[in-house]
Amino acid sequence: MNENYKNEQILTTADDIPAEEPKRQYYFIEKLKETVKAKSESLGRPLTCKVVTFGCQMNARDSEKLRGILELVGYEPAQSEEADFVLYNTCTVRENANLKVYGHLGYLNGIKKNNPEMVIALCGCMMQEPEVIEKLKKSYRFVDLIFGTHNIYKFAELLYLALTSDRMILDIWKDTDKIVEDLPAKRTYSFKSGVNIMFGCNNFCSYCIVPYVRGRERSRRPEDILEEIRRLCGDGVLEVMLLGQNVNSYGKTLEHPLSFAGLLRQAEEIPGLSRIRFMTSHPKDLSDELIQTMKASKKICRHLHLPLQSGSSRILKQMNRRYTKEQYLSLVEKLREAIPDLSLTTDIIVGFPGETEEDFQETMDVVRLAQYDTAFTFIYSKRTGTPAAAMENQVPDEVVKDRFSRLLSLVQEIGRQRTGRFQGQTLPVLAESVNEQDPSLLTGRLEQNIVVHFPGTPDLIGKILPVYLKECRGFYYLGERSPEKIYES
Ligand code: SAH
Ligand code: SF4
Ligand code: F3S
């Protein structure tokens, strides 16, 4: 159980509770079904739930697993946070992600005053920070259940405890080497899905809190990953996004090591699968084998997210990124040569401690040379406990803001020029949704992850269609369905 904090509620240890996972969780799923049924009968209406995700694709996938359990035990999904069970799956990568959660909690407390039955739960990365837990215990007593990233697989058990107790249930683990397979998930999209291939991170970039809140890197067994993809494809999924903080180091912790490229080649064989994406690639571990595998593949999308963070070799060293500006640029060159239609995207941090105007100009230089389709730009945020937080030469806010806006203009200018390069071509588009502004249009994506809007009806959602890219409007295209046949995998 919890080593880091004393649990406020001790688990019952009845003899009939299975010890091994996932059996134990299925036991609690059955108990929950009874509890939820009894509660909804006494209220004379179904119980509703809402899971809100903050943060990255990992959290989004975790939320699908949490929803899977909630729906299995009888909760109905609610449109808003006015629900009987509300769970915030939190992020703490930057301070504003963290502040957002406190803001939302105040709002939830207001809703709870009108619905005393309401259960409020928090999980995710922010809960792995001891200061956060102290603050919640002191000032947010209306929260009913708090758990972290390492014991998320125990959600059914923890929810059962929360529903059958009127005390705050708190269960946070410091770390784990455990991976629990075969728990349910409720996908957001019927035709695409994230698939975790690894958890945690061992890189300790000096600004980043993720290794502290997600624990050490561990890879799922290839047979479990491939089986999950096969099952998803059997259920209508065409596109998978393989998820990990550093997918390029996949497989190192396995009993029988396998490279990421090796895993991709096996995934390629799965019938029914049309598109394979992955995130995130650390430049220091991107192998020639991966480039060749992408080049030879018919299913791996022509898109690579390759976080730069900074273009200055001096700052990169301080960031503990373990590559230089020159190494990064030669990697880009190699990728462009091998895969000419590749779309390249990145993450950049502005204002890392000690960053000078010269360092910043090095970043601008890489942006010009690498020609990114999109770059996510972030203002450096000090995260307690990371080495960079203790660095003395933090950059003043006004200087950072000025650099940030100059970087953003450059990134947008290049992004706009780059996006237009497919104009006039007919390319496969996966139709993903009805356009939010104009319901006569569908919104989909090219392999390169570029958005395309085109006339179409909702029955086409989830299909890969040939679309003529008529007009580029900055970062997206307006297109028209081409009369050719539907693409098959
Ligand atoms: N594992 C991924 C990134 C995960 S976090 C990788 O290595 O690329 C997503 C992005 O958030 C990072 O790429 C980085 O650009 C940004 N980020 C992380 N910590 C940050 C911090 N303290 N301040 C600002 N941005 C940060
Ligand atoms: Fe953070 Fe670096 Fe790990 Fe990415 S690779 S999650 S930036 S420590
Ligand atoms: Fe945030 Fe955790 Fe992802 S800190 S970015 S949700 S791994």
Side-chain angles (χ1 to χ4, degrees):
M1 282 281 335
N2 169 4
E3 267 90 42
N4 214 5
Y5 305 100
K6 200 168 160 288
N7 232 15
E8 301 210 348
Q9 164 91 26
I10 303 302
L11 257 186
T12 45
T13 46
D15 289 343
D16 60 340
I17 305 179
E20 71 275 28
E21 299 292 2
K23 249 191 179 165
R24 186 180 174 89
Q25 298 315 309
Y26 281 100
Y27 168 90
F28 282 104
I29 286 171
E30 290 311 310
K31 302 288 279 181
L32 276 166
K33 282 182 184 167
E34 294 161 21
T35 314
V36 170
K37 190 162 175 254
K39 275 194 194 274
S40 74
E41 273 171 11
S42 79
L43 289 168
R45 60 171 178 81
L47 290 187
T48 56
C49 69
K50 176 84 183 162
V51 178
V52 181
T53 313
F54 298 83
C56 66
Q57 313 254 8
M58 307 270 175
N59 261 19
R61 180 65 182 148
D62 285 346
S63 290
E64 293 187 344
K65 295 178 185 169
L66 297 162
R67 276 187 207 109
I69 290 175
L70 286 165
E71 292 193 22
L72 190 61
V73 304
Y75 279 95
E76 288 190 358
Q79 293 308 312
S80 77
E81 281 138 275
E82 293 193 20
D84 298 300
F85 179 77
V86 177
L87 172 59
Y88 284 167
N89 189 5
T90 63
C91 170
T92 189
V93 75
R94 286 168 291 275
E95 196 186 5
N96 53 6
N98 193 299
L99 294 175
K100 240 192 250 170
V101 171
Y102 290 119
H104 275 250
L105 274 178
Y107 164 68
L108 278 195
N109 193 22
I111 303 178
K112 191 170 181 170
K113 287 196 175 120
N114 296 324
N115 179 8
E117 280 292 314
M118 184 179 181
V119 175
I120 298 176
L122 294 170
C123 68
C125 296
M126 198 175 146
M127 301 304 126
Q128 293 296 139
E129 292 183 277
E131 320 80 87
V132 170
I133 299 298
E134 287 317 308
K135 186 163 169 176
L136 291 169
K137 275 165 74 172
K138 203 163 142 238
S139 315
Y140 295 80
R141 295 298 308 176
F142 58 90
V143 175
D144 303 280
L145 167 63
I146 302 174
F147 56 102
T149 56
H150 304 303
N151 55 347
I152 191 162
Y153 71 85
K154 278 185 58 185
F155 175 55
E157 181 170 351
L158 294 166
L159 177 62
Y160 180 71
L161 271 180
L163 293 184
T164 52
S165 146
D166 50 12
R167 303 173 63 181
M168 184 192 252
I169 308 291
L170 178 61
D171 194 16
I172 312 285
W173 297 0
K174 240 180 154 157
D175 209 344
T176 186
D177 52 10
K178 205 166 173 158
I179 296 176
V180 177
E181 298 287 349
D182 299 326
L183 284 164
K186 166 80 187 165
R187 292 199 310 277
T188 312
Y189 300 95
S190 59
F191 51 87
K192 66 172 183 178
S193 180
V195 173
N196 299 105
I197 63 165
M198 58 209 295
F199 302 95
C201 181
N202 283 353
N203 289 303
F204 290 95
C205 301
S206 65
Y207 50 81
C208 184
I209 201 166
V210 171
Y212 304 88
V213 296
R214 285 276 177 174
R216 294 295 60 74
E217 180 180 299
R218 54 215 182 273
S219 296
R220 278 178 80 194
R221 299 187 318 155
E223 48 275 36
D224 292 331
I225 297 169
L226 296 166
E227 183 50 36
E228 180 176 345
I229 301 175
R230 260 181 233 116
R231 231 181 306 130
L232 288 167
C233 293
D235 198 25
V237 165
L238 292 175
E239 177 180 303
V240 291
M241 164 85 89
L242 306 182
L243 298 171
Q245 293 299 349
N246 177 10
V247 291
N248 297 334
S249 75
Y250 171 79
K252 290 187 180 150
T253 58
L254 292 170
E255 200 182 329
H256 306 291
L258 171 71
S259 68
F260 178 53
L263 178 72
L264 284 171
R265 287 194 295 270
Q266 292 187 33
E268 176 107 14
E269 300 301 315
I270 296 177
L273 184 62
S274 301
R275 286 181 167 188
I276 306 172
R277 299 185 184 277
F278 53 85
M279 239 183 151
T280 297
S281 272
H282 195 306
K284 80 174 164 62
D285 296 313
L286 197 144
S287 64
D288 288 344
E289 189 198 3
L290 177 65
I291 300 177
Q292 291 315 314
T293 301
M294 282 183 84
K295 183 179 175 175
S297 168
K298 294 211 160 43
K299 296 186 178 176
I300 303 172
C301 290
R302 270 40 192 153
H303 171 219
L304 187 71
H305 187 65
L306 192 66
L308 167 69
Q309 313 301 3
S310 168
S312 153
S313 297
R314 194 181 73 82
I315 294 291
L316 285 168
K317 192 157 200 298
Q318 301 279 310
M319 286 178 161
N320 193 29
R321 289 290 288 179
R322 287 173 274 175
Y323 53 84
T324 61
K325 175 187 182 187
E326 290 70 30
Q327 284 166 334
Y328 185 94
L329 285 171
S330 71
L331 186 57
V332 170
E333 208 171 300
K334 233 193 291 183
L335 284 158
R336 294 261 184 238
E337 207 177 287
I339 314 160
D341 53 350
L342 184 76
S343 123
L344 194 66
T345 58
T346 200
D347 292 347
I348 300 171
I349 298 176
V350 180
F352 181 83
E355 183 190 75
T356 62
E357 179 62 24
E358 288 71 44
D359 293 318
F360 175 67
Q361 286 305 331
E362 301 274 9
T363 300
M364 297 284 271
D365 192 36
V366 178
V367 170
R368 281 184 208 104
L369 293 167
Q371 292 282 302
Y372 298 112
D373 280 68
T374 320
F376 298 97
T377 49
F378 304 108
I379 287 183
Y380 166 72
S381 170
K382 198 169 169 176
R383 306 314 291 132
T384 311
T386 61
M391 293 179 185
E392 275 167 7
N393 39 4
Q394 307 279 328
V395 183
D397 281 356
E398 324 78 72
V399 176
V400 180
K401 279 192 189 131
D402 172 59
R403 286 181 195 159
F404 183 81
S405 72
R406 281 186 282 153
L407 176 65
L408 195 62
S409 313
L410 181 64
V411 157
Q412 288 182 341
E413 185 192 317
I414 293 173
R416 258 192 289 269
Q417 290 164 12
R418 291 282 304 164
T419 306
R421 71 193 182 280
F422 299 114
Q423 185 152 321
Q425 295 187 33
T426 298
L427 291 175
V429 170
L430 171 58
E432 298 196 345
S433 57
V434 173
N435 184 291
E436 279 173 19
Q437 268 92 48
D438 180 349
S440 73
L441 299 179
L442 294 178
T443 297
R445 275 172 204 274
L446 298 178
E447 250 189 80
Q448 285 81 358
N449 214 29
I450 298 170
V451 169
V452 183
H453 305 292
F454 60 100
T457 44
D459 55 299
L460 296 172
I461 290 174
K463 294 197 163 70
I464 296 179
L465 309 158
V467 175
Y468 171 66
L469 304 174
K470 201 166 133 192
E471 187 189 344
C472 177
R473 290 262 184 100
F475 299 101
Y476 62 89
Y477 279 100
L478 292 181
E480 257 164 29
R481 272 186 73 197
S482 156
E484 293 158 44
K485 72 175 175 67
I486 288 178
Y487 289 94
E488 277 156 18
S489 63

